[in-house]
Amino acid sequence: MAIESAAELVQFLADELRRSGTDHQEFAEITGIAEERLKLLQSGAWEDLTIREIAVITETLEVDLSNL
């Protein structure tokens, strides 16, 4: 899968979060990102997330960006 934009990356992360089956509250505790901020990922309002938040989500989901 070739990721060509930030929007595609964030959509991929949202899909991975759903697939992981991790509760938003639990994921928020693990990442240190507020649950309300994580909802931005799911709602498609990814432009409001910081690069740091996207990086933490990516790392926590153990997504290897070199494979994308």
Side-chain angles (χ1 to χ4, degrees), residues 34-48:
E35 194 172 348
E36 297 78 35
R37 303 286 296 161
L38 290 173
K39 289 180 183 176
L40 294 173
L41 180 69
Q42 300 290 67
S43 70
W46 64 270
E47 298 94 347
D48 294 330

Side-chain angles (χ1 to χ4, degrees), residues 27 30-31 33 54-63:
F27 198 77
I30 293 168
T31 61
I33 299 171
I54 293 169
V56 169
I57 293 166
T58 302
E59 183 177 334
T60 303
L61 291 172
E62 298 179 358
V63 173

Side-chain angles (χ1 to χ4, degrees), residues 1-17 19 54-55 57-59 61-68:
M1 170 183 206
I3 300 292
E4 296 183 10
S5 69
E8 288 179 6
L9 172 60
V10 175
Q11 182 59 53
F12 177 81
L13 293 175
D15 293 343
E16 284 298 304
L17 180 56
R19 268 194 286 275
I54 293 169
I57 293 166
T58 302
E59 183 177 334
L61 291 172
E62 298 179 358
V63 173
D64 183 359
L65 295 177
S66 65
N67 291 330
L68 303 178

